Tab-separated table of all heavy atoms in Angstrom:
chain	number	residue	atom	x	y	z
A	16	GLN	N	74.944	192.840	29.185
A	16	GLN	CA	75.059	193.330	30.558
A	16	GLN	C	75.118	194.854	30.514
A	16	GLN	O	76.199	195.443	30.428
A	16	GLN	CB	76.295	192.735	31.230
A	16	GLN	CG	76.252	191.217	31.345
A	16	GLN	CD	77.470	190.651	32.045
A	16	GLN	OE1	77.939	191.193	33.046
A	16	GLN	NE2	77.998	189.549	31.512
A	17	VAL	N	73.963	195.465	30.573
A	17	VAL	CA	73.850	196.916	30.366
A	17	VAL	C	73.865	197.636	31.710
A	17	VAL	O	72.933	197.516	32.514
A	17	VAL	CB	72.561	197.259	29.595
A	17	VAL	CG1	72.449	198.770	29.387
A	17	VAL	CG2	72.523	196.516	28.258
A	18	LYS	N	74.928	198.363	31.971
A	18	LYS	CA	75.010	199.211	33.157
A	18	LYS	C	75.467	200.597	32.712
A	18	LYS	O	76.631	200.807	32.373
A	18	LYS	CB	75.972	198.640	34.203
A	18	LYS	CG	75.966	199.476	35.497
A	18	LYS	CD	76.829	198.878	36.591
A	18	LYS	CE	76.747	199.741	37.852
A	18	LYS	NZ	77.593	199.207	38.951
A	19	TRP	N	74.530	201.524	32.717
A	19	TRP	CA	74.773	202.853	32.160
A	19	TRP	C	75.656	203.711	33.064
A	19	TRP	O	75.444	203.779	34.271
A	19	TRP	CB	73.458	203.591	31.936
A	19	TRP	CG	72.599	203.000	30.866
A	19	TRP	CD1	71.585	202.101	31.020
A	19	TRP	CD2	72.692	203.262	29.460
A	19	TRP	NE1	71.036	201.791	29.803
A	19	TRP	CE2	71.686	202.478	28.826
A	19	TRP	CE3	73.510	204.076	28.678
A	19	TRP	CZ2	71.484	202.501	27.444
A	19	TRP	CZ3	73.321	204.096	27.308
A	19	TRP	CH2	72.322	203.323	26.705
A	20	PHE	N	76.618	204.372	32.441
A	20	PHE	CA	77.332	205.452	33.108
A	20	PHE	C	76.318	206.569	33.351
A	20	PHE	O	75.564	206.925	32.448
A	20	PHE	CB	78.472	205.949	32.216
A	20	PHE	CG	79.318	207.023	32.826
A	20	PHE	CD1	80.322	206.709	33.709
A	20	PHE	CD2	79.097	208.355	32.514
A	20	PHE	CE1	81.122	207.696	34.276
A	20	PHE	CE2	79.885	209.354	33.061
A	20	PHE	CZ	80.895	209.022	33.954
A	21	PRO	N	76.269	207.141	34.551
A	21	PRO	CA	75.249	208.159	34.837
A	21	PRO	C	75.432	209.397	33.960
A	21	PRO	O	76.537	209.738	33.564
A	21	PRO	CB	75.478	208.483	36.311
A	21	PRO	CG	76.895	208.078	36.571
A	21	PRO	CD	77.159	206.900	35.702
A	22	GLU	N	74.313	210.035	33.657
A	22	GLU	CA	74.364	211.262	32.855
A	22	GLU	C	75.315	212.266	33.513
A	22	GLU	O	75.270	212.490	34.711
A	22	GLU	CB	72.974	211.877	32.733
A	22	GLU	CG	72.015	211.054	31.893
A	22	GLU	CD	70.688	211.758	31.685
A	22	GLU	OE1	70.625	212.976	31.916
A	22	GLU	OE2	69.724	211.079	31.288
A	23	SER	N	76.153	212.845	32.685
A	23	SER	CA	77.153	213.759	33.230
A	23	SER	C	77.589	214.747	32.163
A	23	SER	O	77.920	214.364	31.048
A	23	SER	CB	78.375	212.980	33.727
A	23	SER	OG	79.442	213.852	34.030
A	24	GLU	N	77.570	216.008	32.508
A	24	GLU	CA	78.046	217.034	31.586
A	24	GLU	C	79.564	216.984	31.434
A	24	GLU	O	80.124	217.607	30.541
A	24	GLU	CB	77.617	218.424	32.080
A	24	GLU	CG	76.129	218.694	31.976
A	24	GLU	CD	75.681	218.858	30.535
A	24	GLU	OE1	76.387	219.497	29.749
A	24	GLU	OE2	74.601	218.329	30.189
A	25	LYS	N	80.234	216.214	32.300
A	25	LYS	CA	81.685	216.123	32.200
A	25	LYS	C	82.131	215.248	31.038
A	25	LYS	O	83.225	215.416	30.514
A	25	LYS	CB	82.271	215.595	33.512
A	25	LYS	CG	82.101	216.544	34.692
A	25	LYS	CD	82.745	215.979	35.942
A	25	LYS	CE	82.611	216.945	37.116
A	25	LYS	NZ	83.241	216.399	38.346
A	26	LEU	N	81.295	214.283	30.652
A	26	LEU	CA	81.585	213.448	29.485
A	26	LEU	C	80.812	214.038	28.319
A	26	LEU	O	79.574	213.997	28.288
A	26	LEU	CB	81.178	211.994	29.730
A	26	LEU	CG	81.511	211.025	28.585
A	26	LEU	CD1	83.021	210.922	28.390
A	26	LEU	CD2	80.920	209.646	28.873
A	27	LYS	N	81.540	214.602	27.366
A	27	LYS	CA	80.915	215.360	26.292
A	27	LYS	C	81.188	214.726	24.931
A	27	LYS	O	82.239	214.104	24.726
A	27	LYS	CB	81.447	216.806	26.266
A	27	LYS	CG	81.341	217.563	27.579
A	27	LYS	CD	81.961	218.949	27.454
A	27	LYS	CE	82.102	219.641	28.806
A	27	LYS	NZ	80.819	219.991	29.405
A	28	LEU	N	80.251	214.917	24.012
A	28	LEU	CA	80.453	214.557	22.619
A	28	LEU	C	80.410	215.860	21.823
A	28	LEU	O	79.352	216.456	21.633
A	28	LEU	CB	79.381	213.587	22.134
A	28	LEU	CG	79.553	213.096	20.686
A	28	LEU	CD1	80.907	212.426	20.491
A	28	LEU	CD2	78.428	212.140	20.301
A	29	LEU	N	81.579	216.292	21.391
A	29	LEU	CA	81.714	217.564	20.678
A	29	LEU	C	81.623	217.316	19.180
A	29	LEU	O	82.429	216.578	18.615
A	29	LEU	CB	83.058	218.219	21.021
A	29	LEU	CG	83.401	218.327	22.515
A	29	LEU	CD1	84.772	218.969	22.682
A	29	LEU	CD2	82.324	219.101	23.271
A	30	HIS	N	80.650	217.949	18.548
A	30	HIS	CA	80.394	217.758	17.121
A	30	HIS	C	80.929	218.987	16.374
A	30	HIS	O	80.360	220.068	16.473
A	30	HIS	CB	78.887	217.616	16.907
A	30	HIS	CG	78.524	216.975	15.612
A	30	HIS	ND1	77.231	216.722	15.258
A	30	HIS	CD2	79.271	216.545	14.576
A	30	HIS	CE1	77.193	216.160	14.056
A	30	HIS	NE2	78.426	216.049	13.634
A	31	PHE	N	82.027	218.805	15.646
A	31	PHE	CA	82.678	219.918	14.950
A	31	PHE	C	82.314	219.900	13.470
A	31	PHE	O	82.889	219.142	12.683
A	31	PHE	CB	84.198	219.833	15.108
A	31	PHE	CG	84.690	220.176	16.488
A	31	PHE	CD1	84.939	219.187	17.419
A	31	PHE	CD2	84.895	221.501	16.852
A	31	PHE	CE1	85.392	219.493	18.688
A	31	PHE	CE2	85.362	221.821	18.115
A	31	PHE	CZ	85.607	220.819	19.048
A	32	ARG	N	81.345	220.733	13.094
A	32	ARG	CA	80.933	220.807	11.686
A	32	ARG	C	80.545	222.202	11.243
A	32	ARG	O	80.351	222.444	10.062
A	32	ARG	CB	79.761	219.865	11.440
A	32	ARG	CG	78.549	220.126	12.335
A	32	ARG	CD	77.406	219.201	12.011
A	32	ARG	NE	76.315	219.373	12.961
A	32	ARG	CZ	75.099	218.868	12.791
A	32	ARG	NH1	74.834	218.172	11.698
A	32	ARG	NH2	74.162	219.040	13.699
A	33	TYR	N	80.423	223.147	12.180
A	33	TYR	CA	79.983	224.497	11.840
A	33	TYR	C	81.165	225.461	11.917
A	33	TYR	O	81.565	225.896	12.989
A	33	TYR	CB	78.860	224.938	12.786
A	33	TYR	CG	77.583	224.159	12.595
A	33	TYR	CD1	76.951	223.532	13.672
A	33	TYR	CD2	76.993	224.041	11.337
A	33	TYR	CE1	75.773	222.823	13.492
A	33	TYR	CE2	75.818	223.329	11.145
A	33	TYR	CZ	75.217	222.720	12.227
A	33	TYR	OH	74.047	222.014	12.050
A	34	PHE	N	81.719	225.778	10.745
A	34	PHE	CA	82.892	226.662	10.656
A	34	PHE	C	82.587	227.847	9.740
A	34	PHE	O	83.312	228.107	8.787
A	34	PHE	CB	84.096	225.895	10.110
A	34	PHE	CG	84.436	224.640	10.866
A	34	PHE	CD1	84.320	223.405	10.269
A	34	PHE	CD2	84.871	224.701	12.178
A	34	PHE	CE1	84.643	222.241	10.955
A	34	PHE	CE2	85.196	223.548	12.872
A	34	PHE	CZ	85.077	222.316	12.265
A	35	GLY	N	81.499	228.544	9.995
A	35	GLY	CA	81.124	229.675	9.153
A	35	GLY	C	80.008	229.303	8.191
A	35	GLY	O	79.834	228.144	7.820
A	36	LEU	N	79.265	230.309	7.764
A	36	LEU	CA	78.105	230.076	6.904
A	36	LEU	C	78.499	229.488	5.559
A	36	LEU	O	77.848	228.566	5.066
A	36	LEU	CB	77.340	231.387	6.695
A	36	LEU	CG	76.114	231.305	5.770
A	36	LEU	CD1	75.105	230.294	6.291
A	36	LEU	CD2	75.469	232.688	5.629
A	37	ASP	N	79.558	229.991	4.941
A	37	ASP	CA	79.953	229.479	3.627
A	37	ASP	C	80.300	227.995	3.698
A	37	ASP	O	79.927	227.206	2.824
A	37	ASP	CB	81.149	230.262	3.079
A	37	ASP	CG	80.772	231.668	2.653
A	37	ASP	OD1	79.556	231.937	2.503
A	37	ASP	OD2	81.684	232.498	2.487
A	38	ASN	N	81.026	227.596	4.748
A	38	ASN	CA	81.388	226.197	4.911
A	38	ASN	C	80.152	225.337	5.135
A	38	ASN	O	80.035	224.232	4.581
A	38	ASN	CB	82.350	226.050	6.095
A	38	ASN	CG	82.815	224.627	6.290
A	38	ASN	OD1	83.644	224.116	5.559
A	38	ASN	ND2	82.263	223.971	7.305
A	39	LEU	N	79.217	225.835	5.946
A	39	LEU	CA	77.979	225.110	6.203
A	39	LEU	C	77.214	224.875	4.909
A	39	LEU	O	76.776	223.754	4.612
A	39	LEU	CB	77.116	225.898	7.197
A	39	LEU	CG	75.767	225.309	7.633
A	39	LEU	CD1	75.396	225.848	9.022
A	39	LEU	CD2	74.649	225.669	6.657
A	40	MET	N	77.056	225.928	4.108
A	40	MET	CA	76.273	225.827	2.879
A	40	MET	C	76.942	224.901	1.865
A	40	MET	O	76.265	224.132	1.170
A	40	MET	CB	76.047	227.210	2.285
A	40	MET	CG	75.230	228.122	3.191
A	40	MET	SD	74.915	229.770	2.496
A	40	MET	CE	73.539	229.399	1.401
A	41	ASN	N	78.262	224.929	1.820
A	41	ASN	CA	78.972	224.047	0.898
A	41	ASN	C	78.806	222.590	1.313
A	41	ASN	O	78.550	221.708	0.464
A	41	ASN	CB	80.454	224.414	0.857
A	41	ASN	CG	81.228	223.521	-0.095
A	41	ASN	OD1	80.999	223.509	-1.302
A	41	ASN	ND2	82.159	222.756	0.432
A	42	LYS	N	78.917	222.302	2.605
A	42	LYS	CA	78.760	220.932	3.085
A	42	LYS	C	77.347	220.427	2.823
A	42	LYS	O	77.156	219.289	2.362
A	42	LYS	CB	79.087	220.848	4.571
A	42	LYS	CG	78.961	219.428	5.125
A	42	LYS	CD	79.505	219.307	6.535
A	42	LYS	CE	79.454	217.859	7.014
A	42	LYS	NZ	80.079	217.686	8.337
A	43	TYR	N	76.345	221.252	3.103
A	43	TYR	CA	74.962	220.842	2.879
A	43	TYR	C	74.712	220.578	1.398
A	43	TYR	O	73.988	219.647	1.033
A	43	TYR	CB	74.003	221.907	3.399
A	43	TYR	CG	73.745	221.822	4.887
A	43	TYR	CD1	74.699	221.308	5.762
A	43	TYR	CD2	72.539	222.262	5.436
A	43	TYR	CE1	74.464	221.242	7.120
A	43	TYR	CE2	72.293	222.189	6.787
A	43	TYR	CZ	73.264	221.681	7.632
A	43	TYR	OH	73.029	221.603	8.978
A	44	ARG	N	75.310	221.379	0.547
A	44	ARG	CA	75.131	221.197	-0.905
A	44	ARG	C	75.711	219.859	-1.353
A	44	ARG	O	75.082	219.116	-2.108
A	44	ARG	CB	75.797	222.354	-1.645
A	44	ARG	CG	75.623	222.337	-3.153
A	44	ARG	CD	75.977	223.692	-3.759
A	44	ARG	NE	77.293	224.156	-3.337
A	44	ARG	CZ	77.496	225.193	-2.515
A	44	ARG	NH1	76.467	225.862	-2.017
A	44	ARG	NH2	78.721	225.556	-2.191
A	45	VAL	N	76.898	219.523	-0.871
A	45	VAL	CA	77.548	218.260	-1.243
A	45	VAL	C	76.734	217.075	-0.738
A	45	VAL	O	76.472	216.121	-1.485
A	45	VAL	CB	78.981	218.209	-0.672
A	45	VAL	CG1	79.575	216.813	-0.844
A	45	VAL	CG2	79.858	219.250	-1.374
A	46	TYR	N	76.316	217.129	0.528
A	46	TYR	CA	75.583	215.994	1.099
A	46	TYR	C	74.184	215.876	0.524
A	46	TYR	O	73.656	214.757	0.392
A	46	TYR	CB	75.559	216.103	2.619
A	46	TYR	CG	76.806	215.546	3.253
A	46	TYR	CD1	78.001	216.257	3.225
A	46	TYR	CD2	76.809	214.310	3.868
A	46	TYR	CE1	79.158	215.749	3.791
A	46	TYR	CE2	77.957	213.793	4.439
A	46	TYR	CZ	79.125	214.510	4.390
A	46	TYR	OH	80.271	213.994	4.939
A	47	SER	N	73.565	216.984	0.176
A	47	SER	CA	72.244	216.926	-0.446
A	47	SER	C	72.303	216.165	-1.762
A	47	SER	O	71.421	215.358	-2.077
A	47	SER	CB	71.694	218.337	-0.677
A	47	SER	OG	70.454	218.288	-1.345
A	48	ARG	N	73.361	216.412	-2.537
A	48	ARG	CA	73.504	215.723	-3.821
A	48	ARG	C	73.715	214.223	-3.633
A	48	ARG	O	73.380	213.439	-4.524
A	48	ARG	CB	74.683	216.316	-4.618
A	48	ARG	CG	74.447	217.708	-5.155
A	48	ARG	CD	75.435	218.037	-6.260
A	48	ARG	NE	76.804	218.045	-5.805
A	48	ARG	CZ	77.481	219.136	-5.453
A	48	ARG	NH1	76.884	220.324	-5.506
A	48	ARG	NH2	78.733	219.055	-5.045
A	49	ARG	N	74.286	213.814	-2.490
A	49	ARG	CA	74.613	212.405	-2.273
A	49	ARG	C	73.528	211.635	-1.515
A	49	ARG	O	73.645	210.418	-1.342
A	49	ARG	CB	75.927	212.269	-1.507
A	49	ARG	CG	77.141	212.824	-2.231
A	49	ARG	CD	78.431	212.459	-1.496
A	49	ARG	NE	78.762	211.054	-1.628
A	49	ARG	CZ	78.909	210.208	-0.605
A	49	ARG	NH1	78.736	210.645	0.636
A	49	ARG	NH2	79.238	208.940	-0.810
A	50	LEU	N	72.481	212.286	-1.045
A	50	LEU	CA	71.461	211.585	-0.269
A	50	LEU	C	70.813	210.486	-1.107
A	50	LEU	O	70.360	210.711	-2.224
A	50	LEU	CB	70.382	212.565	0.208
A	50	LEU	CG	70.685	213.401	1.452
A	50	LEU	CD1	69.503	214.291	1.787
A	50	LEU	CD2	71.037	212.520	2.645
A	51	SER	N	70.755	209.295	-0.542
A	51	SER	CA	70.165	208.159	-1.242
A	51	SER	C	68.643	208.248	-1.228
A	51	SER	O	68.042	208.995	-0.443
A	51	SER	CB	70.605	206.856	-0.567
A	51	SER	OG	70.082	206.793	0.749
A	52	ALA	N	68.010	207.438	-2.086
A	52	ALA	CA	66.550	207.386	-2.131
A	52	ALA	C	65.987	206.929	-0.784
A	52	ALA	O	64.972	207.458	-0.317
A	52	ALA	CB	66.100	206.453	-3.256
A	53	VAL	N	66.657	205.963	-0.148
A	53	VAL	CA	66.151	205.469	1.136
A	53	VAL	C	66.246	206.542	2.211
A	53	VAL	O	65.372	206.643	3.086
A	53	VAL	CB	66.903	204.181	1.561
A	53	VAL	CG1	68.361	204.465	1.925
A	53	VAL	CG2	66.195	203.500	2.727
A	54	ASN	N	67.276	207.379	2.161
A	54	ASN	CA	67.374	208.490	3.102
A	54	ASN	C	66.226	209.470	2.900
A	54	ASN	O	65.590	209.921	3.864
A	54	ASN	CB	68.713	209.216	2.945
A	54	ASN	CG	69.788	208.639	3.835
A	54	ASN	OD1	70.201	207.502	3.642
A	54	ASN	ND2	70.243	209.406	4.796
A	55	ARG	N	65.961	209.809	1.653
A	55	ARG	CA	64.886	210.771	1.363
A	55	ARG	C	63.524	210.191	1.752
A	55	ARG	O	62.675	210.907	2.298
A	55	ARG	CB	64.907	211.148	-0.113
A	55	ARG	CG	66.162	211.930	-0.510
A	55	ARG	CD	66.053	212.528	-1.903
A	55	ARG	NE	67.283	213.209	-2.280
A	55	ARG	CZ	67.622	214.422	-1.846
A	55	ARG	NH1	66.818	215.084	-1.044
A	55	ARG	NH2	68.758	214.978	-2.248
A	56	GLN	N	63.305	208.917	1.504
A	56	GLN	CA	62.035	208.292	1.850
A	56	GLN	C	61.780	208.308	3.346
A	56	GLN	O	60.636	208.421	3.792
A	56	GLN	CB	62.016	206.854	1.325
A	56	GLN	CG	61.921	206.731	-0.190
A	56	GLN	CD	62.262	205.329	-0.675
A	56	GLN	OE1	62.472	204.410	0.116
A	56	GLN	NE2	62.325	205.161	-1.996
A	57	ASN	N	62.848	208.197	4.121
A	57	ASN	CA	62.717	208.138	5.579
A	57	ASN	C	62.977	209.464	6.274
A	57	ASN	O	62.880	209.543	7.507
A	57	ASN	CB	63.672	207.081	6.133
A	57	ASN	CG	63.231	205.664	5.823
A	57	ASN	OD1	62.349	205.124	6.484
A	57	ASN	ND2	63.832	205.072	4.797
A	58	GLY	N	63.324	210.492	5.519
A	58	GLY	CA	63.608	211.786	6.120
A	58	GLY	C	64.922	211.835	6.858
A	58	GLY	O	65.132	212.711	7.707
A	59	TRP	N	65.829	210.891	6.534
A	59	TRP	CA	67.141	210.876	7.169
A	59	TRP	C	68.060	211.856	6.451
A	59	TRP	O	68.271	211.763	5.250
A	59	TRP	CB	67.749	209.480	7.104
A	59	TRP	CG	66.942	208.422	7.783
A	59	TRP	CD1	66.053	208.591	8.808
A	59	TRP	CD2	66.933	207.020	7.484
A	59	TRP	NE1	65.512	207.399	9.169
A	59	TRP	CE2	66.027	206.409	8.383
A	59	TRP	CE3	67.623	206.230	6.558
A	59	TRP	CZ2	65.782	205.049	8.367
A	59	TRP	CZ3	67.383	204.872	6.551
A	59	TRP	CH2	66.477	204.280	7.444
């Protein structure tokens, strides 16, 4: 029973992951090392 809540800027999804360049680069380095073969094959 799909009844969508109307689009609204009042309901937000805040994504907290960018805390400076050094933190960004460190996180990307860690996750790059952990990416699975299936992720790489699909560009995920």
Side-chain angles (χ1 to χ4, degrees):
Q16 298 181 42
V17 180
K18 185 176 181 181
W19 292 95
F20 183 81
E22 291 185 16
S23 169
E24 290 289 319
K25 293 182 178 180
L26 183 64
K27 306 177 190 292
L28 183 57
L29 310 179
H30 199 178
F31 288 96
R32 57 178 174 168
Y33 292 127
F34 306 115
L36 178 58
D37 288 344
N38 182 75
L39 181 154
M40 297 181 80
N41 180 64
K42 181 171 184 175
Y43 278 29
R44 183 165 52 250
V45 170
Y46 276 76
S47 177
R48 289 198 297 263
R49 297 189 72 239
L50 279 181
S51 65
V53 69
N54 270 66
R55 294 191 183 282
Q56 290 165 6
N57 288 281
W59 300 335

